[in-house]
Amino acid sequence: VITLYTVPTANGQKVTIALEECGLPYQFETIDLQAGAHKRPAFLALNPLGKAPALLDPDGPGGAPIALGETGAMVFYLCRKAGGGFMAQTPRAQAEQDFWAFAINASLAMPLAMQFYHANLAPERADWAIDAMTTAARTTLSAFERHLEGQDYLLGAQFSAVDMLLYPHLATSAQRLPGKLTAFPALEAYCARVGARPGVQRGMMA
Ligand SMILES: N[C@@H](CCC(=O)N[C@@H](CS)C(=O)NCC(=O)O)C(=O)O
């Protein structure tokens, strides 16, 4: 059975949503970041970047075990393993899917994480850093807002793998920004739409 080594954050939730939506059996172990469990050799063997989450599928391609880090790679792997129904089907849609996936994990997740770090964890408070990361996150959120004004999901009418990557950042991380998502009505409506899916709800609770 697939094991997810995870943390109760948006990054962990993306993968549990994928596991639940795909109907793949799994178990999970919580990684103790405070204790540095993600920097130990056993974890680095799963994800050389030393960041949670990571997964181990004993029945990977060709029947051999596979370990993976990076939430984008994990969600796409799981969706393909489950038959590819949540993945874009045409070269044009695949290019669009990859654009949104990279945008979420590089241009949205990173400033949200840095904003949280500077607002809550940094040894010294630096208001300029909090402001810069808040602005960077809001700039990306504005692009998602404009895109979702005209359609229900990131790739159009169907819920897909990239929605699994976006939703937890909106439902969890972005809620910590001053003003939350109130300036982004299309994103709020999108959150209600995606959050109503039973698989998404189970993934968020896992
Ligand atoms: N780009 C990575 C980000 C992973 C990440 O930043 N994970 C956090 C927890 S949510 C972490 O392990 N932080 C501790 C560290 O970086 O040392 C992904 O999408 O998987």
Side-chain angles (χ1 to χ4, degrees):
V1 65
I2 293 170
T3 304
L4 181 67
Y5 300 86
T6 193
V7 281
T9 67
N11 280 319
Q13 289 160 345
K14 295 183 217 176
V15 189
T16 45
I17 287 173
L19 287 158
E20 292 287 347
E21 285 282 349
C22 291
L24 293 167
Y26 68 101
Q27 59 191 11
F28 63 83
E29 264 182 43
T30 302
I31 289 293
D32 186 349
L33 296 180
Q34 300 274 20
H38 55 311
K39 305 298 181 196
R40 294 191 191 128
F43 190 88
L44 293 175
L46 301 169
N47 179 4
L49 297 180
K51 287 179 184 291
L55 73 74
L56 180 63
D57 180 0
D59 183 26
I66 187 170
L68 269 183
E70 284 297 325
T71 53
M74 286 184 268
V75 167
F76 281 13
Y77 170 77
L78 294 169
C79 288
R80 289 191 185 107
K81 182 182 172 90
F86 289 116
M87 299 298 289
Q89 302 298 323
T90 66
R92 183 170 295 275
Q94 283 160 355
E96 204 189 334
Q97 162 193 276
D98 294 353
F99 168 78
W100 289 113
F102 285 113
I104 293 161
N105 276 19
S107 302
L108 182 62
M110 189 49 94
L112 285 171
M114 289 296 102
Q115 196 271 354
F116 180 77
Y117 173 79
H118 284 291
N120 299 286
L121 304 173
E124 278 177 41
R125 190 178 172 88
D127 285 335
W128 66 267
I130 300 172
D131 291 348
M133 291 302 111
T134 302
T135 300
R138 287 205 180 116
T139 301
T140 305
L141 288 170
S142 302
F144 282 89
E145 170 76 11
R146 289 193 301 278
H147 183 67
L148 285 164
E149 274 165 359
Q151 58 193 54
D152 281 356
Y153 301 101
L154 281 175
L155 297 189
Q158 302 291 329
F159 175 81
S160 77
V162 279
D163 297 301
M164 301 176 193
L165 293 176
L166 177 58
Y167 175 75
H169 287 301
L170 301 181
T172 307
S173 334
Q175 300 300 324
R176 294 191 287 254
L177 293 176
K180 304 184 179 183
L181 287 178
T182 46
F184 304 100
L187 294 186
E188 286 195 322
Y190 170 85
C191 269
R193 196 177 302 127
V194 175
R197 294 178 65 88
V200 170
Q201 290 171 4
R202 288 194 304 274
M204 293 296 285
M205 300 286 287

